[in-house]
Amino acid sequence: MQDVVLVLDCGATNVRAIAVDSQGNVIARESTPNTSEPDKANSHWHIWSLDAILERLAGCCRIIIPQLSSYKIRAITVTTFGVDGTLVDAKGDLLYPIISWKCPRTTPIVENIEHYFSAEKLQTISGVGKFNFNTLYKLIWLKENHSTLYDKAHAWLFISSLINYRLTGVMSTDRTMAGTSQLLNIHHEQFSGEILDAISIPESLFPELVYAGEQIGTLIPEAAKKLNLPSGIPVISSGHDTQFALFGSGADLNQPILSSGTWEILMVRASHVNTHILPYYAGSTCELDARKGIFNPGLQWLASGILEWIRQLFWQGISPSEAYLQMIHEALSVPPGANNLRMNCRLLTSEAGWCGITLDTERRHFYRAALEALGYQLKQNLSLLEKISGFHAKELVLVGGGSRNHLWNQIKADILNLPIKVLNESETTVLGASFFAWFGVGYYKSSEQAREQFSYHYELYTPGEHQEAYNLLFKNFIQE
């Protein structure tokens, strides 16, 4: 009988159950849509229903378990989106609904955070950027609006820990989830007494931190029955999906990874981070890696969202898939520099806009100029990331939907003057979580050894004939 681990992946748009063998091969999978719900207190607010999420996970499990009759499930591990959670009583019952990261109720808290703590100092200590969905702001909002809940609260559980508690009956805090909260001293990898004191929250509110690969408990009979599984299966800690996607991508230390989608997120696994300079750069953040003693500094900016806007503006009435094929084909005929058309992609500032439009400017020029401007922004941000963590990039690994655009990939390679490796693997989060699960049950001596069993495949883009032209154009870009 072969062995598998079961990864329960709770994403913002889909909930999935995926069985993975010891070589990283997906044996069975099932998914179902996931969505937040409007809060009864305010229709503009968003909450998550824990019961609904658990039922979706159970439904996925009930479908794939019959496919695993010839396999032994060695472990279960849970990965989720970050920051969200809620207060629970000693029985683990929710004292308030789980406020979704999409909910706008915390925006005023962010705008007035200086009443509690210096925003600059917050990021210097925690590493995490000033995002309105951070756990810190949810705790303050509850304090200001439902302060009596804290008298009843036994613990704050992040959403992964809420699921793990329902599976095992054990309260814990996934370390990578805590790393997204803006509540830690990231350098000490512990909750910051200075931050918690400022918002009058005791550290005892948070159960013990558990590391990725640690066993939280075993599957209790009640949960086993719902999932159509035998009880007693070890439940191994994983946590925040971003960290496990990084590890699952095969990234080594100081090897930057770009996740390219509506937003581009540039991150690196590094042993050093200078959090003192993070507050000076919009979109910067730093979270704890899945491995102890390693950090994941990163920067994010709007990317494919801009390209989608251009598609809707100039390629109307065509299906998106067909439109993008046309856009790429037309832009290939435009030389580097897009006939002097330039885009400033700082869309949230008054500096945003286009320069160099003439009567000869066509839609293909707009698209090419956007690809180039986003490439220049990537070059600037990669240089900044190198400064933050003291490394020198030798290549860039690219994942996500944007990596399917071969023209954009080549432009990036030319602008960066670096090889770009496009990973032909979409299940990086599940892979990363499974590697730690195999390590957690003693199948491998380390998560790295588990990762070595998987065969990664890349498509390589190297700097081409336009590299020198882009080097000159970039100098003009930064001067502007």
Side-chain angles (χ1 to χ4, degrees), residues 117-134:
F117 211 88
S118 160
E120 179 181 324
K121 193 173 182 181
L122 265 177
Q123 189 167 12
T124 299
I125 294 173
S126 70
V128 177
K130 189 179 178 180
F131 307 119
N132 74 294
F133 47 67
N134 292 347

Side-chain angles (χ1 to χ4, degrees), residues 260-314:
S260 183
T262 301
W263 290 79
E264 288 200 319
I265 305 172
L266 178 67
M267 301 190 83
V268 69
R269 303 181 65 228
S271 57
H272 166 78
V273 60
N274 182 355
T275 57
H276 291 277
I277 65 176
L278 289 178
Y280 300 102
Y281 300 100
S284 68
T285 196
C286 184
E287 299 170 354
L288 290 176
D289 187 74
R291 286 295 309 275
K292 183 179 181 180
I294 301 175
F295 308 99
N296 297 155
L299 298 149
Q300 64 181 38
W301 61 95
L302 190 61
S304 293
I306 296 173
L307 305 180
E308 179 65 8
W309 169 71
I310 292 173
R311 179 190 71 80
Q312 293 176 353
L313 194 64
F314 292 115

Side-chain angles (χ1 to χ4, degrees), residues 19 21 61 99 113 142 149 159 179 182 188 198 231 305 307 394 419 439:
D21 72 11
C61 287
I99 300 172
I113 193 59
L142 288 169
L149 293 179
I159 192 162
Q182 210 174 21
H188 296 163
S231 60
L307 305 180
K394 297 180 180 179
F439 160 61

Side-chain angles (χ1 to χ4, degrees), residues 7 9 16 18 20 24 26 29 79 240-251 257-259 397-400 422-436 451 454 456-458:
V7 180
D9 179 35
R16 306 185 302 163
I18 301 182
V20 185
V26 172
R29 76 177 84 203
T79 181
H240 186 217
D241 49 18
T242 298
Q243 272 59 58
F244 294 91
L246 273 175
F247 191 83
S249 71
I257 305 288
L258 180 68
S259 176
V397 176
L398 188 57
V399 300
V422 178
L423 178 62
N424 296 325
E425 174 56 53
S426 60
E427 294 291 2
T428 53
T429 295
V430 170
L431 270 177
S434 73
F435 297 149
F436 281 90
R451 188 171 65 172
F454 183 75
Y456 287 94
H457 299 282
Y458 302 92

Side-chain angles (χ1 to χ4, degrees), residues 4 7 32 37 45 105 112 141 170 172 184 192-193 213 242 248 262 305 321 328 388 422 456 467 473:
V4 294
V7 180
T32 191
E37 302 175 0
W45 292 352
R105 77 181 78 190
N112 296 288
W141 186 89
V170 177
S172 61
L184 296 194
S192 167
T242 298
T262 301
S321 58
I328 292 170
I388 289 169
V422 178
Y456 287 94
Q467 186 271 320
L473 289 165

Side-chain angles (χ1 to χ4, degrees), residues 349-423:
T349 73
S350 59
E351 301 172 5
W354 300 84
C355 180
I357 299 173
T358 71
L359 293 177
D360 295 321
T361 302
E362 301 175 8
R363 65 183 187 178
R364 60 192 177 123
H365 297 105
F366 282 97
Y367 184 55
R368 178 89 187 204
L371 294 176
E372 293 176 346
L374 290 168
Y376 299 142
Q377 188 163 24
L378 169 61
K379 186 178 179 73
Q380 287 182 303
N381 286 337
L382 180 57
S383 178
L384 174 57
L385 191 62
E386 290 174 326
K387 179 180 178 182
I388 289 169
S389 286
F391 74 98
H392 180 67
K394 297 180 180 179
E395 62 184 12
L396 178 70
V397 176
L398 188 57
V399 300
S403 68
R404 294 192 292 270
N405 186 325
H406 62 88
L407 172 59
W408 198 11
N409 294 343
Q410 187 60 56
I411 288 174
K412 287 172 176 174
D414 290 342
I415 288 176
L416 294 178
N417 192 24
L418 286 175
I420 288 182
K421 294 164 60 177
V422 178
L423 178 62

